[in-house]
Amino acid sequence: MFTTAPRDTGASLGTTLRAGVAEATALLDAHVLPARDQLGLLPDDELLELTRVAEELGRRADALRTLAAAEVGRRSGPERGAEGLSSRLGCRNPAELLERLCSVSGATARTRLRLGAHIAPRFGLAGETLPSDFPAARAAFSAGELGIDSLVAITGTLSSLTERCGAEAVAAAEGELVAAATGTAPDGAPPAAADEIRMQAKLWALYLDPDGVLPDPDRTMRRRGLTLGRERDGLTPLSGALTIDVAAQLQRLFDAQISPRVADRGRPAFTEDTAGAHDAAHARDDSRTRAQRQHDALAAILGVAARAAESPSIGGSAPTLLVTISASELERRDGFGLLDAAHLSDDMGADAVAQPIPATFARQVACSGGIQRLVLDANGRIIELGGPQRVFTAHQRRAIIARDGGCVIPGCHVPSAWCEVHHATDHARGGPTHTDNGVLLCWFHHRTLETSGWEVRMRNGVPETRAPAWVEARRPWRPVHPHGHRRGTRARPG
């Protein structure tokens, strides 16, 4: 025997809700929605108020949708068998019923069901109503004061702690988190964002149950790994799982190169005040996504590791990639070379073959350590083998770093430690491996120098850059000095 609300009550409530929704919809259609095409005309304060009100409306709608989904889930419980609501309507489970009924994704349907199970009231064996698992979160969520993201963070983190820590301890943590999320904490702090609530919830869980929250170190070590897939269309997929400390260290390294707030000490400065627009235009030109920036940062990290004295050697030498290219292909703009298959991992299969790479890559990479260029003539004779004599030494690199301070392309914030030394005049064209012919470029600008429109040259031992025509129509050459203020010029952050 299952206890349900009387049909007439349900019908009356349903009719009332439908009438209320119709009234609210009419109000929105008449006064709010017409303004959506005029948002550009609103003053800042009115735009912020409209955004806040829209969010509150959305939260109230989320609460109703979540509680309704919870009731659908309750009436579709497995204990009801074929008499369950979802079964009677030909659906495998309540999630499928919500997907079809509401035209939402499976993930959305499951989220509503999971949240609803946490905040909806429960029913006892005799049909009596019992409080929800998270009454404080339910009240704030229903009132539009608590967003669904914060609700997910609170309930998802604390729901597993009740049995081990007790309902009283979990309720105390819930109250503190809800107060922080709604801005009702005693300290008067403003409402915390959902990401901050998620972090606070983890700290509460760690405080209440450290043994249950901390990851199992043995399981973590067993599951760690990193795999390189097979190359396709010039890209090699990378997948795996990093331990927390390794991931954090890698993220810090990414941030050190990607963040525009990296230290500006020793950054290049233009000798003309008009270069500010030149610098800002380049910053706008960098349209790389964050994922692309992180790829380029990883490339720079690998270059630093290959140059490091502490790096393990292979056959007595530093780990080095070999790029093979013919002299004729090296000169062609659309030429190509081959990246030696010896770099491929054994677990990629015995059929691994050398991979073709653009000649632009071959021309640029040979400037830095870790990659060696082999040039053949038409008969297959070796006419150039990149070696120590054409790679800038550690002493030369330190001198160039002291002079350039970082990537010399205006607007680039990559510091000197992550940069490569580029031959301003290519070694194959007679350019010496000398400090007067070497400039610092980050991995990205080094690889795109031939295609981006930027140009770099050396004049009297000082690097100069020239912007693409779309940045500066006149395209003047501009000297770059890391310590311009010492030479009578105004230093400008890079």
Side-chain angles (χ1 to χ4, degrees):
M1 179 69 68
F2 299 102
T3 303
T4 58
R7 286 190 180 275
D8 57 347
T9 303
S12 175
L13 178 60
T15 302
T16 302
L17 286 176
R18 172 59 64 184
V21 170
E23 184 179 351
T25 302
L27 183 63
L28 288 173
D29 289 341
H31 300 285
V32 178
L33 295 184
R36 62 188 172 186
D37 297 328
Q38 302 177 9
L39 296 180
L41 304 178
L42 291 178
D44 291 348
D45 55 344
E46 292 187 21
L47 176 61
L48 295 177
E49 178 64 15
L50 177 61
T51 303
R52 186 190 64 78
V53 171
E55 180 63 23
E56 184 176 342
L57 287 173
R59 289 178 177 180
R60 291 179 181 273
D62 283 340
L64 182 58
R65 291 187 294 194
T66 301
L67 291 172
E71 183 61 19
V72 170
R74 189 183 72 83
R75 298 188 186 190
S76 304
E79 71 279 1
R80 296 176 181 262
E83 295 301 316
L85 181 58
S86 58
S87 296
R88 286 191 285 111
L89 295 178
C91 296
R92 298 187 307 272
N93 49 50
E96 182 184 353
L97 175 54
L98 290 175
E99 288 181 56
R100 297 182 181 277
L101 182 65
C102 306
S103 300
V104 298
S105 67
T108 297
R110 290 189 294 272
T111 298
R112 291 179 185 175
L113 288 167
R114 185 175 66 255
L115 290 176
H118 289 317
I119 66 171
R122 296 174 290 114
F123 295 92
L125 296 177
E128 72 277 17
T129 302
L130 303 175
S132 66
D133 294 337
F134 295 94
R138 171 194 166 92
F141 185 51
S142 299
E145 299 170 352
L146 182 68
I148 195 168
D149 293 330
S150 295
L151 181 65
V152 169
I154 294 172
T155 59
T157 305
L158 300 183
S159 58
S160 62
L161 302 179
T162 303
E163 291 186 4
R164 295 193 299 270
C165 305
E168 185 176 347
V170 172
E174 177 200 2
E176 293 289 341
L177 291 170
V178 170
T182 57
T184 57
D187 59 3
D195 288 338
E196 186 177 349
I197 294 300
R198 183 174 291 105
M199 179 58 66
Q200 291 185 24
K202 289 181 179 180
L203 293 176
W204 268 104
L206 184 61
Y207 171 74
L208 295 176
D209 184 29
D211 293 335
V213 175
L214 291 177
D216 178 10
D218 293 335
R219 183 169 181 266
T220 297
M221 293 300 289
R222 287 195 304 269
R223 297 181 62 193
R224 79 193 191 283
L226 196 63
T227 303
L228 284 175
R230 291 181 178 273
E231 181 272 338
R232 178 174 295 180
D233 295 331
L235 296 173
T236 300
L238 175 68
S239 62
L242 305 179
T243 59
I244 294 176
D245 58 320
V246 173
Q249 188 176 28
L250 183 60
Q251 188 61 61
R252 290 296 298 273
L253 290 171
F254 284 162
D255 293 342
Q257 185 172 163
I258 295 173
S259 173
R261 295 184 297 274
V262 293
D264 286 324
R265 181 178 301 173
R267 298 293 300 125
F270 289 111
T271 57
E272 298 181 28
D273 290 347
T274 57
H278 176 264
D279 185 74
H282 171 263
R284 292 193 300 270
D285 179 46
D286 191 354
S287 59
R288 289 177 293 169
T289 65
R290 180 170 182 84
Q292 291 169 338
R293 288 172 179 267
Q294 291 190 160
H295 168 277
D296 298 349
L298 180 59
I301 292 168
L302 296 176
V304 172
R307 293 192 298 267
E310 296 83 1
S311 292
S313 62
I314 300 177
S317 302
T320 305
L321 296 180
L322 181 64
V323 176
T324 305
I325 190 169
S326 67
S328 58
E329 292 292 331
L330 184 63
E331 295 300 322
R332 291 171 55 94
R333 186 175 183 85
D334 59 349
F336 70 93
L338 295 175
L339 187 62
D340 189 0
H343 77 285
L344 300 176
S345 174
D346 291 339
D347 60 11
M348 295 178 66
D351 59 341
V353 296
Q355 301 294 335
I357 58 171
T360 54
F361 177 88
R363 283 192 288 269
Q364 300 297 344
V365 297
C367 295
S368 57
I371 301 177
Q372 190 175 30
R373 188 172 74 190
L374 173 64
V375 182
L376 307 175
D377 66 10
N379 298 319
R381 177 189 176 192
I382 299 174
I383 58 176
E384 179 191 334
L385 177 62
Q389 73 279 1
R390 74 170 318 282
V391 176
F392 290 91
T393 67
H395 295 293
Q396 290 174 317
R397 180 178 173 83
R398 282 193 289 270
I400 294 171
I401 286 175
R403 182 197 65 206
D404 295 351
C407 180
V408 299
I409 298 297
C412 183
H413 298 276
V414 176
S416 58
W418 303 104
C419 291
E420 301 171 351
V421 183
H422 166 69
H423 284 81
T425 300
D426 189 69
H427 185 271
R429 295 182 172 85
T433 304
H434 189 278
T435 53
D436 284 350
N437 191 43
V439 296
L440 290 183
L441 290 174
C442 70
W443 184 93
F444 171 69
H445 286 117
H446 199 179
R447 295 305 182 276
T448 59
L449 190 62
E450 295 187 21
T451 58
S452 64
W454 286 92
E455 296 182 57
V456 176
R457 73 178 184 185
M458 298 295 295
R459 185 177 182 184
N460 299 324
V462 176
E464 295 183 339
T465 63
R466 184 159 69 173
W470 71 268
V471 176
E472 286 188 303
R474 295 186 301 109
R475 302 196 68 204
W477 285 99
R478 298 186 182 279
V480 181
H481 300 303
H483 306 296
H485 60 285
R486 296 181 183 176
R487 305 183 186 183
T489 60
R490 183 170 69 88
R492 185 185 300 277

